[in-house]
């Protein structure tokens, strides 16, 4: 399954935050110009014809300022109207102002932000004062009618407090979407904060149990996505699909990359929007060839795995960026994916054999009656 057409626009790699597991750069990093946005528009006019989502990412995209979005959003929405653009943004919310919020609200831009749980846990990982600055921006965005959801990064330190973190999200009515801290490619101690695959797998099973115990009270997006994978037998988010050719990221200078995670790494530049590259030219670039080779590698390396159809070897960045582009394995989180996919499949099979036909509830195990199962969770997802 191909991911829907997705263009990630990175207005700057600069960020005012100093998250300890990130490779944050200074606020003075270059900021994309409106001329580059114009080049993006002209490139896309003849590139593809299917619906597109633009996600503003970073660094910190709000550093581009209100005037940037006041010009960029109508340009993208109006001149690419045949692509029926949708918009999104990932931001730490520190620089949110009523002015920017008003501009984003006009185009119904949903916001993703980051918070790692209670204030003391968040600040211990993201720097003193992060929590309060994020919450201040959240209130401004909410007042403007913007939808905000939070990504929670679990590190090898915060995972020890998973119960408190889950409770925090549940009590505040926040949707929980988790992200495992990855080894940093730009750190002298890349695994200082990284969540090991085995810990990640157990965390996912823990959150599955929590989602079932609190069905209807809290939403864990990752668990929902994983359930969809198993039920539909195909990937439902970018980690578990062949994203090559359907997702691109554009850096501040107009350089095109396979994904936002590669932005700023010169060896992953595929082309520049000002040159109006075709799909064929992008795929024939060296980064394009490396990404395509990953898909072929997965077909061989994972051919005996029962989850290959809806996992696809995980994220290519996780797999090939740490090795400098060489194919030495699939996503290192493979063990975590296998752990949760095995768990979901095993529970689903047990439920299917244990659950009697509709209207015939005799003989159902008492434990199954008391606790909702994976099928109940899937029904709740479908009904939304």
């Amino acid at each position: 399954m191909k991911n829907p057409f997705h263009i990630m626009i990175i207005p700057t790699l600069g960020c005012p935050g100093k998250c300890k597991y990130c490779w944050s750069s200074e606020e003075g990093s270059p900021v994309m110009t409106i001329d580059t946005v114009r080049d993006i528009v002209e490139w896309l006019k003849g590139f593809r014809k299917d619906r597109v989502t633009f996600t503003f990412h970073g660094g910190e995209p709000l550093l581009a300022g209100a005037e940037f979005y006041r010009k960029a959003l109508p340009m993208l929405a109006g001149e690419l109207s045949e692509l029926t653009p949708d918009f999104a943004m990932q931001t730490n919310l520190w620089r949110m102002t009523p002015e920017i919020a008003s501009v984003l609200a006009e185009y119904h831009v949903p916001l993703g932000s980051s918070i790692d749980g209670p204030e003391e846990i968040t600040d211990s990982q993201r720097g003193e004062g992060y929590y309060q600055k994020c919450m201040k921006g959240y209130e401004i965005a909410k007042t403007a009618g913007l939808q905000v959801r939070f990504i929670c990064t679990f590190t090898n330190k915060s995972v020890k407090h998973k119960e408190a973190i889950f409770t925090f999200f549940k009590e505040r009515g926040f949707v929980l979407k988790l992200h495992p801290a990855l080894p940093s490619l730009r750190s002298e101690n890349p695994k200082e904060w990284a969540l090991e695959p085995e810990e990640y797998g157990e965390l996912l099973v823990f959150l599955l149990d929590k989602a079932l115990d609190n069905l209807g009270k809290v939403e864990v997006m990752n668990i929902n996505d994983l359930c969809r994978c198993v039920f539909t037998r195909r990937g439902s988010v970018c980690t578990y699909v062949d994203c090559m050719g359907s997702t691109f990221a554009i850096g501040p200078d107009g350089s095109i990359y396979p994904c936002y995670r590669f932005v700023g790494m010169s060896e992953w530049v595929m082309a520049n929007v000002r040159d109006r590259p075709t799909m064929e030219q992008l795929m024939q670039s060296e980064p394009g060839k490396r990404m395509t080779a990953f898909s072929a590698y997965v077909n061989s390396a994972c051919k005996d795995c029962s989850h290959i159809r809806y996992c696809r070897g995980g994220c290519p960045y996780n797999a090939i960026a740490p090795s400098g582009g060489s194919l030495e394995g699939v996503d290192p989180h493979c063990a975590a994916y296998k752990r949760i996919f095995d768990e979901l499949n095993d529970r689903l099979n047990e439920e299917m054999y244990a659950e009697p036909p509709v209207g015939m509830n005799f003989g159902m195990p008492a434990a199954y009656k008391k606790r909702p199962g994976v099928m109940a969770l899937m029904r709740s997802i479908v009904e939304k």
Side-chain angles (χ1 to χ4, degrees):
M1 176 187 178
K2 286 286 185 180
N3 206 31
F5 189 28
H6 190 192
I7 297 293
M8 309 185 84
I9 298 177
I10 317 300
T12 179
L13 286 174
C15 182
K18 298 295 178 186
C19 299
K20 296 178 181 178
Y21 44 75
C22 189
W23 51 81
S24 156
S25 57
E26 299 300 322
E27 287 189 53
S29 294
V31 176
M32 182 179 288
T33 66
I34 290 299
D35 286 339
T36 298
V37 178
R38 164 68 60 189
D39 286 332
I40 294 172
V41 169
E42 294 303 318
W43 169 54
L44 289 176
K45 281 181 178 178
F47 186 69
R48 285 179 61 155
K49 297 191 180 300
D50 44 331
R51 186 167 184 162
V52 64
T53 295
F54 291 104
T55 297
F56 296 97
H57 213 294
E60 174 46 58
L62 291 184
L63 290 178
E67 191 62 20
F68 174 85
Y69 292 103
R70 188 175 286 114
K71 293 178 179 178
L73 286 167
M75 188 182 297
L76 293 163
E79 298 192 35
L80 295 172
S81 58
E82 71 278 7
L83 303 182
T84 56
D86 290 316
F87 298 100
M89 179 182 286
Q90 183 66 32
T91 167
N92 64 22
L93 293 171
W94 288 17
R95 299 304 173 88
M96 181 60 71
T97 65
E99 182 183 15
I100 294 177
S102 176
V103 174
L104 298 180
E106 185 177 350
Y107 290 87
H108 309 287
V109 182
L111 305 179
S113 191
S114 299
I115 203 161
D116 294 347
E119 184 171 0
E120 60 274 17
I121 294 176
T122 295
D123 284 4
S124 72
Q125 300 191 154
R126 292 183 170 268
E128 186 176 354
Y130 179 102
Y131 181 91
Q132 290 297 333
K133 292 175 184 176
C134 181
M135 287 295 102
K136 181 180 178 181
Y138 169 68
E139 293 300 329
I140 294 172
K142 193 169 65 170
T143 298
L146 291 167
Q147 179 192 69
V148 183
R149 287 186 170 183
F150 294 100
I151 293 176
C152 175
T153 298
F154 278 88
T155 67
N156 55 27
K157 298 171 178 58
S158 69
V159 74
K160 298 177 177 62
H161 308 285
K162 59 182 182 289
E163 188 80 46
I165 292 171
F166 177 84
T167 300
F168 169 86
F169 277 84
K170 176 186 173 183
E171 289 181 346
R172 282 155 185 78
F174 293 158
V175 173
L176 173 57
K177 181 178 181 181
L178 71 101
H179 175 74
L182 301 166
S184 172
L185 302 183
R186 310 177 195 190
S187 170
E188 294 180 1
N189 185 8
K191 289 195 172 185
E192 181 181 3
W193 296 87
L195 188 65
E196 291 297 322
E198 292 74 18
E199 283 186 303
Y200 182 26
E202 293 308 313
L203 173 63
L204 289 171
V205 174
F206 166 82
L207 290 173
L208 170 61
D209 287 331
K210 285 295 185 181
L212 296 178
D213 289 338
N214 295 274
L215 193 61
K217 301 176 184 176
V218 67
E219 180 180 0
V220 183
M221 285 185 66
N222 303 67
I223 298 303
N224 291 355
D225 292 333
L226 291 162
C227 283
R228 288 191 191 96
C229 287
V230 170
F231 271 79
T232 63
R233 317 307 285 178
R234 60 185 185 182
S236 62
V237 291
C238 68
T239 302
Y240 310 115
V241 297
D242 183 0
C243 60
M244 190 60 209
S246 59
T247 297
F248 297 100
I250 302 168
D253 65 350
S255 294
I256 303 172
Y257 301 82
C259 175
Y260 82 96
R261 290 181 171 180
F262 295 103
V263 175
M265 302 167 71
S266 59
E267 66 272 24
W268 289 95
V269 175
M270 307 175 80
N272 193 290
V273 290
R274 63 174 174 266
D275 299 320
R276 318 287 193 265
T278 64
M279 179 69 80
E280 182 180 5
Q281 288 171 328
L282 292 176
M283 302 298 271
Q284 287 302 311
S285 68
E286 285 306 311
K289 290 177 180 177
R290 288 196 289 270
M291 293 288 284
T292 303
F294 176 76
S295 181
Y297 177 83
V298 168
N299 290 338
S300 173
C302 304
K303 66 179 186 299
D304 295 327
C305 178
S306 60
H307 310 303
I308 185 173
R309 287 183 59 188
Y310 48 84
C311 177
R312 295 302 307 160
C315 175
Y317 172 88
N318 293 351
I320 61 184
S323 65
S326 63
L327 284 170
E328 299 176 1
V330 295
D331 186 335
H333 283 138
C334 172
Y337 305 148
K338 190 173 189 305
R339 175 74 177 90
I340 187 62
F341 282 137
D342 282 347
E343 188 74 22
L344 285 168
N345 277 283
D346 288 347
R347 293 193 189 193
L348 178 60
N349 287 332
E350 289 176 8
E351 290 172 27
M352 290 181 67
Y353 286 111
E355 187 172 16
V358 176
M360 298 176 64
N361 293 322
F362 55 85
M364 183 185 293
Y368 183 78
K369 289 181 181 179
K370 292 179 181 178
R371 185 190 201 188
V374 175
M375 286 193 287
L377 176 58
M378 194 61 208
R379 289 190 196 104
S380 72
I381 296 169
V382 172
E383 291 169 358
K384 285 182 180 179

